[in-house]
Amino acid sequence: MAKYIESAQNRLVKRLHGLKLRKNREKEQVFVAEGIRFVGEIPKDWPVECYVVSASYAAEYDITELEKRAEVYVLTDHLFADVAETENPQGIMAICGRKEYDLAEMLEKKNAFFLMTEEMNDPGNLGTVIRTADACAVDAIFLSKGSVDLYNPKTLRATMGSVFHIPVFQNVSLDEMATELREKGIPLYAAHLQGRQYPYSLNLRRACAFLIGNEARGLSEEAAALCDSYVKIPMPGQAESLNASVAAAVLLYEVVRQRLIPRQN
């Protein structure tokens, strides 16, 4: 049965405020999913500690299905709005556990398809990249040290639930990851303005990985040097560069195009 909370001094209310900070999310190894659609995307096998709903949500929706899965807490509308991250909260959130993924298993995938990023700092951009990678069936994403937190509320919302569908590894050493790929014979391509070939000339039907740089600075010289080849995206207009998430989308969809569209004889 749902438990009702009316006090701002309640332990759960204080905890939800605390989970707005990265250090607390890291310490507890949890994150908060907020919103009807986002919570609805949580897979049945994903660890959910509890659901938190507003009194208005509980009055409007049947919460018995939530109660079958985990504890449910009902907050007054005022308290819920106070702990929510969004300006116009939809009345539901869930405290979720994190899943651990096996890197060795990822590297053994046939025709593996990976995306790596260097110090991507904008949560909206990262969330968009994850959502796009999910749409393109990328096998895993690797975020370098110095990147924005995967479980930043803005990042999570921008993924539109894709965080539940695709393995994402944080705080990765690009150097070590590049070595792993090289040992597996997986070419790593850098999206780079000095590239001499377009992605359309690559054979992306086989295993491959792309490395995308920071939104403002692009790839560092050290990161670019780890790659097997530089590729560039054609830009016949006057813009000097593309947004990082847009560049990632162009490259990822070229892999999709090559793998889904039959070759012409």
Side-chain angles (χ1 to χ4, degrees), residues 10-73:
N10 180 273
R11 182 180 301 178
L12 176 64
V13 173
K14 290 183 176 180
R15 184 184 177 204
L16 287 168
H17 279 299
L19 290 178
K20 294 179 181 181
L21 300 178
R22 180 173 185 170
K23 66 177 183 179
N24 293 328
R25 295 192 296 268
E26 291 288 340
K27 181 179 179 180
E28 296 194 37
Q29 288 295 290
V30 297
F31 65 94
V32 178
E34 182 184 336
I36 294 174
R37 179 172 178 177
F38 193 11
V39 172
E41 285 287 332
I42 303 174
K44 292 182 179 179
D45 63 346
W46 197 278
V48 176
E49 182 180 317
C50 68
Y51 293 98
V52 181
V53 301
S54 67
S56 294
Y57 183 97
E60 183 176 356
Y61 297 96
D62 182 1
I63 62 174
T64 55
E65 288 302 314
L66 300 180
E67 293 175 310
K68 291 177 182 178
R69 179 168 180 181
E71 285 191 291
V72 177
Y73 296 90

Side-chain angles (χ1 to χ4, degrees), residues 13 18 62 94 117 139 180 191 199 229 231 241 245:
V13 173
D62 182 1
T117 70
D139 289 306
E180 293 270 12
S229 180
V231 295
S241 62
S245 60

Side-chain angles (χ1 to χ4, degrees), residues 6-245:
E6 298 179 345
S7 171
Q9 301 306 311
N10 180 273
R11 182 180 301 178
L12 176 64
V13 173
K14 290 183 176 180
R15 184 184 177 204
L16 287 168
H17 279 299
L19 290 178
K20 294 179 181 181
L21 300 178
R22 180 173 185 170
K23 66 177 183 179
N24 293 328
R25 295 192 296 268
E26 291 288 340
K27 181 179 179 180
E28 296 194 37
Q29 288 295 290
V30 297
F31 65 94
V32 178
E34 182 184 336
I36 294 174
R37 179 172 178 177
F38 193 11
V39 172
E41 285 287 332
I42 303 174
K44 292 182 179 179
D45 63 346
W46 197 278
V48 176
E49 182 180 317
C50 68
Y51 293 98
V52 181
V53 301
S54 67
S56 294
Y57 183 97
E60 183 176 356
Y61 297 96
D62 182 1
I63 62 174
T64 55
E65 288 302 314
L66 300 180
E67 293 175 310
K68 291 177 182 178
R69 179 168 180 181
E71 285 191 291
V72 177
Y73 296 90
V74 180
L75 274 58
T76 64
D77 289 354
H78 176 75
L79 277 182
F80 190 93
D82 192 39
V83 299
E85 281 282 353
T86 53
E87 290 186 10
N88 299 297
Q90 297 177 333
I92 184 170
M93 63 177 69
I95 298 179
C96 302
R98 302 185 184 187
K99 271 197 175 182
E100 296 295 326
Y101 298 99
D102 188 335
L103 176 58
E105 182 181 328
M106 296 292 137
L107 292 171
E108 292 298 331
K109 283 181 173 285
K110 182 180 180 181
N111 295 328
F113 178 19
F114 299 132
L115 177 65
M116 297 168 61
T117 70
E118 182 189 24
E119 296 184 3
M120 189 166 282
N121 297 142
D122 183 272
N125 268 341
L126 177 58
T128 300
V129 166
I130 293 170
R131 184 181 178 190
T132 304
D134 179 24
C136 293
V138 168
D139 289 306
I141 299 173
F142 303 96
L143 309 179
S144 76
K145 298 173 182 177
S147 300
V148 66
D149 180 23
L150 168 63
Y151 301 107
N152 178 298
K154 292 181 180 179
T155 301
L156 291 174
R157 287 197 297 274
T159 72
M160 298 292 284
S162 286
V163 69
F164 296 120
H165 307 151
I166 183 170
V168 182
F169 295 82
Q170 294 199 95
N171 300 313
V172 170
S173 165
L174 296 182
D175 193 359
E176 292 177 7
M177 195 63 223
T179 299
E180 293 270 12
L181 294 176
R182 194 171 300 113
E183 290 177 352
K184 295 294 181 182
I186 302 174
L188 176 60
Y189 300 110
H192 204 287
L193 293 174
Q194 295 180 14
R196 295 181 179 276
Q197 60 183 330
Y198 296 131
Y200 320 116
S201 66
L202 304 174
N203 179 4
L204 302 175
R205 294 179 177 85
R206 63 183 185 181
C208 61
F210 285 99
L211 177 58
I212 302 294
N214 174 273
E215 295 92 343
R217 304 184 300 274
L219 283 176
S220 67
E221 291 184 9
E222 294 80 7
L226 299 173
C227 299
D228 298 289
S229 180
Y230 293 174
V231 295
K232 62 180 179 180
I233 297 171
M235 293 184 291
Q238 298 183 52
E240 294 183 353
S241 62
L242 292 174
N243 172 279
S245 60

